[in-house]
Amino acid sequence: MKFGFSTFFFIQKSINEVIDDIISSGVRTIELSLETPHVQKMDKDFVEQMAALAGDGLEFSIHAPFFEVNLGSHQPEIRQFSKKRVKMAIDMAYAIGANPVVLHPGYTFWMGKIKDVAEKSWKFFIKDMRAILSYASKKGITLALESIPMHLFFFYDLPEFKELKDVFPDLGMTLDTGHAFLTKIAKKEKKPEEAIISDLKYLGINNITHVHLHNNKGKRDDHLFPDGDMDIKRMLNFLREEGYSGKVIIESYEMEKNGIPSVLEKLRSMIS
């Protein structure tokens, strides 16, 4: 497994300073988050710098924009804006040599409330996802959909990826440990880690394209690491035993709060 950090959780420094800090720590895998406060500085020069780093052996993934983005919106202007933002992420991934591009599913506030309205939103999501997947495929970029622990999203619980994969054969999945844990807690699972592992066995390890690693206390998306109510070490052991060899991106505010060396020390104690 290739452990790395997401730039989204470093908000006090410029994106170039964040990249320098991560590299200086010895970490060779970075997820670029195309969101404020950093995305505005990710210009042509920045992309060229990242491509040069990739040429030197650094590995990148990209998290597509997710604020104010909804591929399932009933408003065509919002869907058009959302597709434009995701395509921007795909273009940057292609220019840098990054893979995969992580994206959030579409959603509707009418999920579970007005069936025909929710179904229409689902159809919008399918249509737009097909267009985006086709665009990514032409550039050799894999899209990895991330589950969101709110039932109004079109990818809420891990088993739902089976239906999504049937609709979109080229779609990959981002296993977000913290999100999966929150969903299992909400569904009253007595052993949430085992429920997650059962789901992953059902889906198959080959469908795990990418991993976001963080913890929480079962009530909100705290993005802790490693402390929290979930047995993260159990999750990592499962991934290792199943032969997962892709990127594992740590998503935690503790990286900036306590420093990268502190987080790395905790990680090493978990995987040693």
Side-chain angles (χ1 to χ4, degrees):
M1 291 184 281
K2 305 166 187 176
F3 291 93
F5 294 138
S6 166
T7 61
F8 182 77
F9 296 87
F10 298 87
I11 60 175
Q12 301 301 324
K13 294 184 177 181
S14 71
I15 185 61
N16 291 97
E17 290 175 311
V18 171
I19 298 295
D20 288 344
D21 286 350
I22 294 174
I23 293 173
S24 296
S25 74
V27 171
R28 306 291 290 174
T29 302
I30 300 173
E31 181 155 296
L32 299 172
S33 176
L34 306 195
E35 273 298 352
T36 303
H38 294 139
V39 68
Q40 289 82 4
K41 300 296 183 180
M42 294 181 179
D43 56 15
K44 182 179 178 181
D45 288 342
F46 174 81
V47 171
E48 290 177 352
Q49 291 169 16
M50 296 306 103
L53 290 173
D56 289 337
L58 261 72
E59 294 199 34
F60 291 93
S61 55
I62 283 182
H63 200 310
F66 51 93
F67 292 150
E68 300 151 347
V69 168
N70 181 12
L71 295 173
S73 174
H74 283 265
Q75 307 304 319
E77 298 88 351
I78 293 176
R79 294 202 311 279
Q80 189 65 28
F81 167 79
S82 300
K83 285 188 288 185
K84 181 179 179 180
R85 299 288 284 165
V86 175
K87 286 181 177 179
M88 175 194 71
I90 294 169
D91 289 342
M92 189 180 294
Y94 177 75
I96 292 173
N99 241 328
V101 169
V102 178
L103 74 159
H104 288 188
Y107 61 91
T108 175
F109 287 100
W110 299 112
M111 186 79 76
K113 296 177 181 178
I114 305 178
K115 184 178 180 181
D116 61 329
V117 175
E119 287 178 349
K120 190 173 183 180
S121 183
W122 166 251
K123 289 177 181 178
F124 287 142
F125 174 61
I126 290 177
K127 180 181 178 181
D128 289 347
M129 279 295 294
R130 282 187 173 137
I132 289 169
L133 281 163
S134 175
Y135 187 81
S137 177
K138 291 174 183 176
K139 293 178 177 286
I141 301 299
T142 298
L143 298 184
L145 197 68
E146 176 180 354
S147 66
I148 305 297
M150 290 182 278
H151 75 279
L152 50 85
F153 281 84
F154 290 125
F155 184 23
Y156 166 60
D157 197 12
L158 291 175
E160 296 170 0
F161 188 73
K162 177 67 167 60
E163 179 182 359
L164 289 161
K165 188 71 172 179
D166 289 342
V167 177
F168 311 117
D170 294 333
L171 182 64
M173 182 183 77
T174 295
L175 166 63
D176 187 294
T177 59
H179 292 178
F181 184 71
L182 283 172
T183 297
K184 295 308 181 187
I185 293 294
K187 298 186 81 166
K188 309 297 183 184
E189 292 284 355
K190 293 182 179 180
K191 297 181 179 180
E193 294 90 345
E194 296 309 312
I196 293 169
I197 288 171
S198 177
D199 288 347
L200 296 177
K201 287 180 178 178
Y202 164 72
L203 294 171
I205 197 72
N206 59 303
N207 278 317
I208 305 176
T209 307
H210 195 61
V211 174
H212 284 169
L213 188 67
H214 58 100
N215 207 340
N216 57 68
K217 296 186 178 181
K219 294 182 179 179
R220 61 175 183 266
D221 200 12
D222 301 303
H223 281 273
L224 306 174
F225 184 84
D227 299 328
D229 291 349
M230 176 175 48
D231 186 350
I232 281 190
K233 189 170 184 178
R234 174 76 180 94
M235 304 303 302
L236 288 174
N237 285 341
F238 168 77
L239 291 171
R240 183 176 63 248
E241 290 164 3
E242 293 295 313
Y244 176 76
S245 58
K247 298 180 181 72
V248 179
I249 303 298
I250 298 174
E251 292 191 324
S252 176
Y253 297 105
E254 294 181 35
M255 298 183 297
E256 188 164 69
K257 179 181 177 182
N258 299 324
I260 291 175
S262 173
V263 172
L264 286 175
E265 183 178 351
K266 292 177 181 178
L267 174 63
R268 292 188 188 103
S269 69
M270 295 174 64
I271 61 177
S272 61

